[in-house]
Amino acid sequence: MNVFGVDIGGSGIKGAPVDVTRGELTEERFKVLTPHPATPDAVADCVRQVVEHFGPPAGPVGATFPGVVVGGTTRTAANVDKGWIGWDAAWFLGERIGAPVTVINDADAAGLAEMTHGAGRGRNGTVIMLTFGTGIGSAVFRDGKLVPNTELGHLELQGHDAETRASTRAKEEEGLKWHHWARRVERYLAHVEMLFSPDLFIIGGGVSRKADKFLPLIEGVSAEIVPAVLENNAGIVGAAMAAAAASGAAVPASAA
């Protein structure tokens, strides 16, 4: 079953049709820059541009959002315009693109994709997916079941919001070398491990493509740490899976 997935991020909005059974994009993804300010109206126009790049939507659409999402309404907005807070995003995006839209937290979507088709497949226990980008997103799973909207990137770490110190954006803005940034990620992972004692960390986001540059530098963390298999496509795949599930279609479940 092919369903369209869109990943709304703080720096870019990208999407593609997805084979939700295989967890693969069926066409090369299309990306536009996130508008600034990232108001609901401006972002909705970009989402429509991404969807219509592939032609009129032929079915349900899944969209991620960088914040807490409850029942299609966006409750927080850390890296986009504050106008999203309390916004009925599912209805609004659906009206703009002319198709039913399911909205899900971005890291939760990436986690669902990885647990079903990627690094978390078949893993029981506590698995935490962390996506490093403009911010830090998180998805927590216990025996394959998602605990939604955890937002662990906003934990306080050494007097700072963790994502302001250990996100990819922080690395770029401060010009940090890989080994300096790895120390920050290491402190963050150790803090999350102290709170949740996970069996596995999955590291996602665009930086997962360069995992060999920083994951071997991380020490003092007991949990296994692996890069995301779907890399930066995980959000698109997970969004499409959420839309397929919401439409009543049969989608693969986590092997756990």
Side-chain angles (χ1 to χ4, degrees):
M1 179 181 181
N2 285 348
V3 182
F4 201 89
V6 181
D7 191 5
I8 300 172
S11 59
I13 299 171
K14 53 189 180 290
V18 177
D19 181 338
V20 295
T21 302
R22 298 171 60 87
E24 299 175 350
L25 308 190
T26 60
E27 297 186 50
E28 184 176 352
R29 71 187 189 189
F30 178 69
K31 180 178 179 178
V32 299
L33 295 178
T34 301
H36 294 286
T39 63
D41 198 56
V43 168
D45 282 343
C46 289
V47 170
R48 180 173 62 185
Q49 181 183 352
V50 170
V51 173
E52 291 182 351
H53 174 80
F54 299 88
V61 174
T64 74
F65 182 79
V68 172
V69 181
V70 179
T73 297
T74 47
R75 300 295 189 190
T76 65
N79 294 301
V80 290
D81 190 81
K82 300 303 180 186
W84 282 100
I85 297 174
W87 196 266
D88 189 344
W91 172 83
F92 185 70
L93 292 174
E95 287 289 299
R96 187 62 57 93
I97 68 175
V101 175
T102 299
V103 181
I104 181 174
N105 172 268
D106 55 354
D108 286 349
L112 288 171
E114 284 293 325
M115 291 298 290
T116 306
H117 300 291
R121 185 174 184 178
R123 295 296 296 258
N124 284 303
T126 301
V127 178
I128 298 181
M129 170 92 175
L130 296 169
T131 58
F132 290 81
T134 305
I136 299 176
S138 63
V140 177
F141 295 84
R142 179 63 187 173
D143 291 337
K145 302 297 183 181
L146 172 67
V147 180
N149 295 309
T150 48
E151 294 290 277
L152 301 183
H154 300 296
L155 289 171
E156 182 179 327
L157 184 63
Q158 297 180 317
H160 298 274
D161 195 44
E163 69 175 24
T164 67
R165 300 285 294 167
S167 65
T168 305
R169 179 168 67 177
K171 177 187 182 300
E172 294 171 351
E173 289 182 347
E174 298 182 41
L176 298 175
K177 301 294 185 182
W178 284 108
H179 64 280
H180 290 137
W181 185 64
R183 294 284 78 78
R184 294 190 182 187
V185 174
E186 178 184 288
R187 287 193 291 270
Y188 173 64
L189 293 179
H191 186 58
V192 175
E193 181 173 58
M194 180 270 293
L195 294 171
F196 293 93
S197 301
D199 300 282
L200 174 68
F201 280 117
I202 302 174
I203 306 301
V207 75
S208 60
R209 296 192 302 268
K210 300 178 181 179
D212 61 313
K213 294 184 179 296
F214 69 98
L215 286 189
L217 303 176
I218 294 175
E219 301 174 345
V221 177
S222 298
E224 182 182 358
I225 309 171
V226 299
V229 171
L230 302 179
E231 297 180 338
N232 212 21
N233 289 334
I236 296 174
V237 173
M241 290 173 59
S247 72
V251 295
S254 165

